Amino acid sequence: MAISPLLLLLAVLVNIDAFFPNRLTSTKLGNGTLTHKDITEIGILQAVAGYFEDNPRDGSLIQAGELRGIEGITALKLFQRYYGDGVSGSRLQAAINNIVTANNLVYLDHLHEAVWHCSGETIKEAHEKMAGLRDHAIQLLKRDNANFDSARQLIGQFLHVMQMFYSNSNWVEMFGADPYYELGIRGKPLYAQAPQAMATCRSCGNQMTSCDNTLIVGHSILTSGYRSGQDIKKPYRDPSTTQLGKCSHGGRRDASGNDSAALGGINKDSILASLSPHHSLHEMAAQAAINHTAYFFLDQDYGLRAVIGKEKYEQFLQLKSGNSMIFTIDTTGSMSNDIAAVKAQVRDIIQTAVGTTDEPANYIVSLFNDPVNMTTVFQSGNSTETLIYIQSIRVHGGGDCPEYILDGIEKALSVCNPDSQMYVFTDASAKDFNRVDRILTLLDQKKVKIDFLLTSDCSRRRRETEGNQGVKETLRIRRSASGEDLYRSLAEATGGTVYVTDKTAIHRVAAVIRESAKASSVTILKKTVPSSETLNISVPVDSTVERLTIMIISSGEARETIYNPQGTIQTTHQHNYTVENLSSSIKMIKIDFPQAGGWRVVRQDSNSWEVEVTGQSTLDISTTFVKLDHSTGFEYEIRGRPIAGKNTTLVLSVSSADLIATLDTIHLLDSDGSESAQYDSLRRIPGRDGIAEYRLQFPLPDQGFRVSVSGNDVLGNRYTRLQARSIIPVAIQLHVLPLNGSLYVREELTLVFVVTNKGDVTTNITVSVEDDQGFAQAPHALNYVMSPNQNVSGDLRLVAGATEGVTSTVTISAKSTSGRGDNFQYEVKHISTERHVTRPVDNVHPVCHVTSVSGQCNVTTLDPCVCRQYTWTGTAEIWDEGFGLYLLSASEKTFLVYDPFLVGQTRNNGSIHASVRGDCCHPVSYITVVDLASNTGLCVFDLLPGWNGSLHRCETTPSTAITTSTTAKSIKWVAPETTGLLSHKEIVIAASVGGCVIFVVMVVAAVVIYRRKAPENMYAVDGSSRRS
């Protein structure tokens, strides 16, 4: 039965909690609503802007606040202001995207766990979880060869919990956009939290409209809303008999806000009253979350940059302007010429690029040999260190030809950043070719482009040993599943190229490395054209392209004619036109500052061609496949590969909205570059200023394809951008459940999965596990015979080694025995080992014992017109038997005096004596005590036990004096009604809340000093800076 969109929408709204993950939903979130994605992006960009201001480039003058004040800030705008025009911010954006994805996926992996959302008064537990995530991420980042993927995942999760705090708790209602910087830092105690018995909210009349005055908690008491469908249930109170109770999350689909007092809620998810009862505070809550996000990275004491150091911080966020370069090199005995070519090219890159925007961001060198345990990995962001290391490489060993090439590739992938470029140098076939599925998985997951520079393979070596030593260089050699065919499949999957040459020409062919080291490289087109077809290629060049590079690989000597937009033939006599013949079959043509318009490349020979056209341009477009999650109503980036034959959604993100006028057409291309489908029904996604995102839904083909995007730039010129990576649809769905615990040293962790046959025939599916640390345990593979749409669950096991802080890249794959060889699904987990840490635990609440109460309040003294005249006093004894006392506070409109004490004082050092004074306007008050473990104790001073009346306001009524015509005002107390009123116990809680917190002088000074460490700038929700 078909489900109407409206019913589906109502069904999926039930489980979203706090800030929305992104804008990929059919729900209208309201113009001005900021999502987790927005908050995370703006916060990180502001942190990077602050870092750049603190570390100006040589010779540059940057004023304080200049970069943080960029309106509609984006990675591109920030990089161009800091590095100069022509520099792309795509690598920083890629790092941010990884963190955002981890943030968003908390909704999928931990939707029903309140602690992950600061719901249900789990603030203390959320604080502990955040501290654990932060500690773990820092531990990983401090290691040599740090695993940035795992650290980004942990930090994305940390930011999710932290940002949730500002929407779900009452912090913003108390302190506005001033963040709670202590939250999530181990050893920092929290403010008092409402005890379980304390009501925290009053019902509002209609939870579908504003509920601005629902909170009744004191100014220093933390609480958060309960959410239906989560593992922490709201204590039930009958809304027909009481208006007071625990706060709900609220919104039209939160059942806890509809059927249990207090009705309504306190969430600040959006600016719409229908979604957020406290919608008027959304911008302030988002502001606080942005400020705290920036603080997490930027603070000079507790921020990530201070804790892990400058080099690691820059690598983690990919703050260098240049590309990340990876060299995977065969060091067996026959590779001396190849290695000499690498040395020459890297030396040239370093000498010409150091100090410029083209300087590579970092280098990774993976050396492989035989046996496999000889693979070593070097990484550094320092060009001089890298050059010294590369110059020290020596060849040795080998002789049996097949080498452990895929192991060298895998080791480099385990430490490289996303969107990197890898070059593989070898003259051998792969001995470990059976690991190709894992390598394809890691290449796809990290979006790494791989080029091979081959000077032979084992089949060629055999021919040479049989007497063919004098054969000329040839492009096509006899292939094998472990040789050139394997390398071409890897290159094609990533958008890379295989360059086949010989030992005498490798030093010229290696010049492709120097060209790709340029910053801001984009692919315009990539085609394979056999000799039987006419080759007349149109190349749209837009106004942002500063250099056009045409790479031709031909089966013979290539002859071509290049026409500019006016139809003029280009020659080397023109100053901006150069041709490099890298070998007899490889040619590189470069055109500097090409005129915008339609260029043409015409083949003048009868050879087959592989041609790739790239450009130096800041106009870059990334693509992401997303999938609707029906439990939340939002779309999230898919894990693994899309499902063949199903409708899918593609999201396209433009580097800057200022660069384009339109994005109007999507082309699906097959492996040789021919168009197989075209779509033009793109829809722009609403978003903040400076951001341009589009979405398209279309039926996914059964075969692999590439995505090409076209539109008009701001000057009206057509542009084209090719996502050169191959998209491989599959008929298998694989879901690995969230980890049930941590991977502790020498202990076991179970990976639970669900696999589904999405094809239309019964097939054999094998689910297997591999990892790069040897943690996977037998059986490594499980086999299932599965009918169409059948799903099966199973589990695989890991056992950690003896070292903590080691990250294992675990791939779980599901492969069909029928169909193509690449017909497999996958999911990747980055799992780091931990050691059991036995931390001291204090779950004992501090004690506040009422010792005396003097004075009385009754119906007469409750008269609000005279109640201030009637006072009462009380005393209490306070102690803690755990970590010690932290702070004391009292109810609104009461005066608290207590013995001086040192933070951390326990009962062994004596009790604290306190006295409190109030009046009958506030007949019920309390003292709140917090210890260093953030446990809360409470004293209640009840001057009206058992009273069931209700206080009304003091009203004035006109009365006329007998002796004069002047109208005077007399004060009148409106007596309480006897029905339909709050009970006394409700008044106890209602009267015992407020905002006046009296701290001991030492505590006040400590808190004030600590909070002054916060950044001076408050970041506006549009990304620009706002002075506090």
Side-chain angles (χ1 to χ4, degrees):
M1 181 182 70
I3 302 175
S4 74
L6 177 59
L7 290 177
L8 180 59
L9 174 61
L10 292 176
V12 300
L13 281 175
V14 65
N15 283 320
I16 275 294
D17 185 54
F19 291 124
F20 298 109
N22 52 54
R23 299 179 189 276
L24 302 177
T25 178
S26 58
T27 304
K28 292 184 178 180
L29 305 182
N31 293 331
T33 293
L34 293 182
T35 66
H36 278 294
K37 181 176 185 292
D38 299 320
I39 290 167
T40 305
E41 283 185 344
I42 295 172
I44 294 176
L45 289 171
Q46 287 292 347
V48 173
Y51 179 79
F52 282 168
E53 289 176 3
D54 293 342
N55 297 273
R57 300 188 70 215
D58 293 341
S60 65
L61 296 175
I62 299 178
Q63 302 298 321
E66 177 183 342
L67 300 181
R68 285 173 285 183
I70 295 174
E71 185 176 352
I73 192 169
T74 64
L76 177 61
K77 288 181 180 180
L78 179 57
F79 265 47
Q80 290 195 331
R81 187 76 66 88
Y82 183 70
Y83 287 108
D85 293 339
V87 177
S88 170
S90 61
R91 296 182 67 254
L92 167 60
Q93 189 60 54
I96 293 174
N97 289 346
N98 284 355
I99 296 171
V100 169
T101 296
N103 185 322
N104 277 192
L105 289 179
V106 173
Y107 274 118
L108 296 184
D109 293 342
H110 305 286
L111 178 63
H112 303 294
E113 300 169 61
V115 66
W116 283 94
H117 311 279
C118 273
S119 300
E121 296 188 310
T122 59
I123 296 172
K124 176 186 174 183
E125 295 79 3
H127 171 67
E128 287 298 317
K129 180 169 288 295
M130 290 170 61
L133 292 168
R134 179 180 180 272
D135 291 349
H136 194 184
I138 289 171
Q139 178 195 41
L140 295 181
L141 290 169
K142 284 185 172 181
R143 289 181 60 88
D144 294 336
N145 287 342
N147 191 294
F148 296 116
D149 300 300
S150 186
R152 291 189 190 103
Q153 176 180 306
L154 293 167
I155 288 172
Q157 293 171 342
F158 172 97
L159 295 178
H160 178 94
V161 182
M162 176 270 288
Q163 291 163 5
M164 286 291 201
F165 171 77
Y166 294 104
S167 178
N168 282 347
S169 77
N170 63 327
W171 177 269
V172 172
E173 286 82 351
M174 294 191 293
F175 300 107
D178 186 18
Y180 194 9
Y181 291 121
E182 294 89 341
L183 187 69
I185 298 179
R186 192 172 300 284
K188 299 292 183 183
L190 302 178
Y191 285 148
Q193 296 161 75
Q196 186 68 20
M198 178 186 285
T200 54
C201 272
R202 176 185 293 108
S203 293
C204 63
N206 181 358
Q207 74 270 21
M208 297 298 287
T209 60
S210 296
C211 271
D212 290 340
N213 298 313
T214 53
L215 280 161
I216 59 173
V217 188
H219 193 65
S220 62
I221 306 293
L222 288 173
T223 187
S224 65
Y226 287 78
R227 185 72 167 85
S228 59
Q230 293 187 334
D231 55 356
I232 304 295
K233 306 300 181 184
K234 179 180 176 179
Y236 178 75
R237 302 194 75 181
D238 188 346
S240 66
T241 62
T242 181
Q243 294 185 39
L244 303 184
K246 289 296 186 183
C247 301
S248 287
H249 176 77
R252 63 191 180 197
R253 301 305 298 175
D254 176 22
S256 78
N258 297 334
D259 56 19
S260 176
L263 302 180
I266 63 172
N267 90 67
K268 296 161 280 291
D269 303 350
S270 80
I271 64 168
L272 298 181
S274 60
L275 298 176
S276 300
H278 283 201
H279 62 94
S280 62
L281 297 175
H282 169 75
E283 182 174 337
M284 195 175 291
Q287 187 75 73
I290 289 169
N291 294 340
H292 200 156
T293 299
Y295 172 89
F296 174 84
F297 291 94
L298 190 60
D299 184 67
Q300 295 184 2
D301 294 322
Y302 294 99
L304 198 63
R305 73 166 181 177
V307 177
I308 66 174
K310 180 179 179 179
E311 183 175 341
K312 286 281 182 66
Y313 183 75
E314 291 181 349
Q315 290 183 36
F316 175 75
L317 288 176
Q318 304 196 132
L319 300 186
K320 296 288 186 66
S321 59
N323 292 325
S324 179
M325 303 195 69
I326 310 168
F327 302 100
T328 301
I329 304 172
D330 183 345
T331 60
T332 54
S334 59
M335 286 292 295
S336 56
N337 283 5
D338 309 59
I339 293 173
V342 175
K343 291 178 180 180
Q345 290 300 327
V346 173
R347 182 172 59 248
D348 185 53
I349 290 170
I350 291 174
Q351 290 173 347
T352 58
V354 167
T356 72
T357 56
D358 287 334
E359 181 179 3
N362 72 312
Y363 305 85
I364 295 172
V365 183
S366 176
L367 306 179
F368 62 91
N369 205 298
D370 195 351
V372 69
N373 59 11
M374 295 183 69
T375 300
T376 60
V377 177
F378 166 90
Q379 67 171 327
S380 174
N382 185 289
S383 297
T384 302
E385 284 182 2
T386 303
L387 184 58
I388 293 172
Y389 179 81
I390 287 182
Q391 295 292 357
S392 70
I393 297 173
R394 299 290 182 269
V395 297
H396 58 92
D400 62 348
C401 191
E403 309 295 353
Y404 288 100
I405 294 167
L406 299 191
D407 183 71
I409 293 173
E410 180 180 349
K411 293 294 196 300
L413 288 171
S414 69
V415 296
C416 77
N417 273 315
D419 295 285
S420 296
Q421 169 73 61
M422 180 185 294
Y423 299 94
V424 179
F425 290 82
T426 187
D427 62 357
S429 301
K431 182 176 289 188
D432 48 357
F433 62 91
N434 59 330
R435 305 187 67 192
V436 63
D437 287 355
R438 175 169 166 84
I439 300 303
L440 283 168
T441 296
L442 297 176
L443 288 168
D444 189 47
Q445 192 250 346
K446 285 208 168 184
K447 298 179 172 61
V448 171
K449 178 182 177 182
I450 185 168
D451 287 344
F452 288 87
L453 289 86
L454 305 180
T455 53
S456 186
D457 75 353
C458 294
S459 59
R460 178 183 287 186
R461 286 200 202 177
R462 283 193 294 271
R463 289 206 312 271
E464 290 175 349
T465 58
E466 292 167 2
N468 296 322
Q469 297 290 344
V471 296
K472 297 180 180 180
E473 175 193 355
T474 190
L475 179 66
R476 303 295 180 210
I477 60 177
R478 184 162 61 88
R479 300 172 177 178
S480 71
S482 62
E484 187 182 345
D485 275 351
L486 171 66
Y487 303 145
R488 287 190 179 278
S489 69
L490 294 173
E492 180 180 320
T494 66
T497 303
V498 175
Y499 299 97
V500 180
T501 184
D502 60 17
K503 301 293 184 181
T504 63
I506 184 63
H507 67 284
R508 296 194 304 273
V509 175
V512 298
I513 302 173
R514 184 175 68 252
E515 188 63 22
S516 66
K518 302 288 185 182
S520 310
S521 180
V522 298
T523 303
I524 297 174
L525 64 83
K526 189 178 180 75
K527 291 181 71 69
T528 300
V529 184
S531 57
S532 59
E533 295 182 11
T534 301
L535 193 153
N536 188 335
I537 301 174
S538 296
V539 181
V541 176
D542 59 89
S543 59
T544 68
V545 177
E546 297 183 353
R547 170 181 281 187
L548 196 67
T549 301
I550 304 169
M551 186 72 69
I552 301 171
I553 303 177
S554 174
S555 57
E557 184 177 354
R559 291 182 290 109
E560 75 293 328
T561 302
I562 310 293
Y563 295 90
N564 70 10
Q566 278 71 45
T568 303
I569 296 175
Q570 302 297 287
T571 69
T572 53
H573 296 297
Q574 287 144 323
H575 69 280
N576 67 334
Y577 184 90
T578 59
V579 177
E580 293 185 48
N581 290 300
L582 305 182
S583 74
S584 61
S585 60
I586 304 174
K587 179 180 289 188
M588 183 165 59
I589 302 166
K590 293 180 286 187
I591 307 168
D592 291 326
F593 303 105
Q595 179 185 356
W599 290 67
R600 286 189 302 127
V601 179
V602 179
R603 180 174 57 191
Q604 302 293 353
D605 59 52
S606 58
N607 300 313
S608 60
W609 272 23
E610 296 175 28
V611 58
E612 180 177 22
V613 181
T614 59
Q616 299 299 312
S617 168
T618 56
L619 173 50
D620 196 8
I621 300 174
S622 62
T623 57
T624 305
F625 284 93
V626 298
K627 178 184 177 182
L628 176 66
D629 173 64
H630 291 287
S631 64
T632 64
F634 284 77
E635 293 173 318
Y636 303 86
E637 181 175 356
I638 65 168
R639 291 184 262 200
R641 290 170 160 173
I643 304 300
K646 306 295 183 183
N647 278 346
T648 190
T649 301
L650 180 67
V651 174
L652 303 101
S653 302
V654 184
S655 54
S656 177
D658 300 336
L659 298 177
I660 65 168
T662 65
L663 192 160
D664 50 47
T665 309
I666 299 295
H667 312 265
L668 303 190
L669 312 178
D670 60 23
S671 59
D672 65 10
S674 301
E675 184 176 288
S676 58
Q678 177 178 315
Y679 301 97
D680 56 10
S681 54
L682 284 84
R683 182 171 64 85
R684 183 151 183 186
I685 302 169
R688 62 184 182 89
D689 291 344
I691 300 297
E693 289 187 318
Y694 298 78
R695 70 193 306 272
L696 171 71
Q697 190 172 71
F698 63 96
L700 206 64
D702 294 329
Q703 303 299 315
F705 62 93
R706 293 189 175 112
V707 176
S708 179
V709 182
S710 60
N712 292 334
D713 67 17
V714 290
L715 299 180
N717 301 296
R718 293 297 288 176
Y719 66 80
T720 293
R721 295 294 183 268
L722 173 67
Q723 303 300 306
R725 309 186 59 78
S726 293
I727 307 299
I728 309 296
V730 295
I732 303 172
Q733 182 173 291
L734 177 67
H735 174 54
V736 181
L737 274 60
L739 301 180
N740 185 23
S742 299
L743 180 59
Y744 293 110
V745 295
R746 301 185 186 279
E747 292 189 17
E748 180 178 293
L749 180 68
T750 300
L751 305 174
V752 180
F753 64 84
V754 178
V755 61
T756 306
N757 176 13
K758 288 292 186 177
D760 52 10
V761 297
T762 298
T763 186
N764 293 308
I765 293 179
T766 299
V767 181
S768 59
V769 61
E770 279 190 89
D771 78 300
D772 57 359
Q773 298 294 331
F775 294 165
Q777 302 296 299
H780 295 94
L782 301 172
N783 300 303
Y784 305 98
V785 178
M786 301 181 65
S787 57
N789 294 314
Q790 181 184 358
N791 63 69
V792 175
S793 62
D795 58 78
L796 300 159
R797 297 181 306 120
L798 304 175
V799 174
T803 306
E804 67 175 316
V806 175
T807 299
S808 179
T809 301
V810 182
T811 59
I812 303 94
S813 61
K815 187 169 186 175
S816 172
T817 56
S818 60
R820 307 183 310 271
D822 57 3
N823 186 25
F824 68 91
Q825 184 61 277
Y826 72 85
E827 189 165 332
V828 177
K829 296 283 187 182
H830 301 286
I831 306 175
S832 301
T833 59
E834 301 178 50
R835 190 175 299 279
H836 276 293
V837 177
T838 304
R839 301 185 187 278
V841 176
D842 175 11
N843 291 321
V844 178
H845 291 260
V847 175
C848 185
H849 174 63
V850 176
T851 54
S852 71
V853 180
S854 299
Q856 65 178 3
C857 297
N858 53 41
V859 174
T860 301
T861 62
L862 286 180
D863 181 344
C865 302
V866 296
C867 58
R868 284 188 175 83
Q869 301 174 23
Y870 301 93
T871 62
W872 58 266
T873 61
T875 61
E877 184 181 9
I878 298 166
W879 68 85
D880 185 63
E881 296 183 341
F883 292 167
L885 297 172
Y886 175 52
L887 61 84
L888 277 65
S889 62
S891 303
E892 184 182 15
K893 306 299 184 182
T894 57
F895 184 72
L896 174 68
V897 177
Y898 50 84
D899 299 337
F901 69 92
L902 295 176
V903 172
Q905 180 171 323
T906 65
R907 194 177 191 182
N908 293 334
N909 307 116
S911 301
I912 304 299
H913 294 89
S915 63
V916 62
R917 184 173 73 248
D919 56 46
C920 288
C921 295
H922 303 88
V924 180
S925 293
Y926 58 80
I927 297 174
T928 304
V929 187
V930 183
D931 66 16
L932 285 173
S934 302
N935 300 306
T936 301
L938 192 71
C939 277
V940 178
F941 296 87
D942 186 352
L943 277 295
L944 283 173
W947 185 67
N948 293 317
S950 174
L951 291 177
H952 282 202
R953 59 189 176 87
C954 179
E955 294 186 349
T956 59
T957 60
S959 64
T960 305
I962 298 174
T963 59
T964 175
S965 61
T966 303
T967 300
K969 292 187 183 282
S970 63
I971 305 225
K972 176 184 178 183
W973 177 32
V974 180
E977 300 174 8
T978 57
T979 59
L981 303 173
L982 305 182
S983 70
H984 167 63
K985 291 303 179 184
E986 292 162 344
I987 296 176
V988 169
I989 304 303
S992 65
V993 298
C996 181
V997 181
I998 303 175
F999 295 106
V1000 70
V1001 173
M1002 294 170 57
V1003 176
V1004 171
V1007 172
V1008 169
I1009 290 171
Y1010 177 78
R1011 291 179 68 79
R1012 283 180 178 172
K1013 293 181 179 180
E1016 294 181 0
N1017 283 324
M1018 302 289 283
Y1019 305 120
V1021 294
D1022 65 356
S1024 59
S1025 68
R1026 175 184 295 163
R1027 288 285 184 182
S1028 59

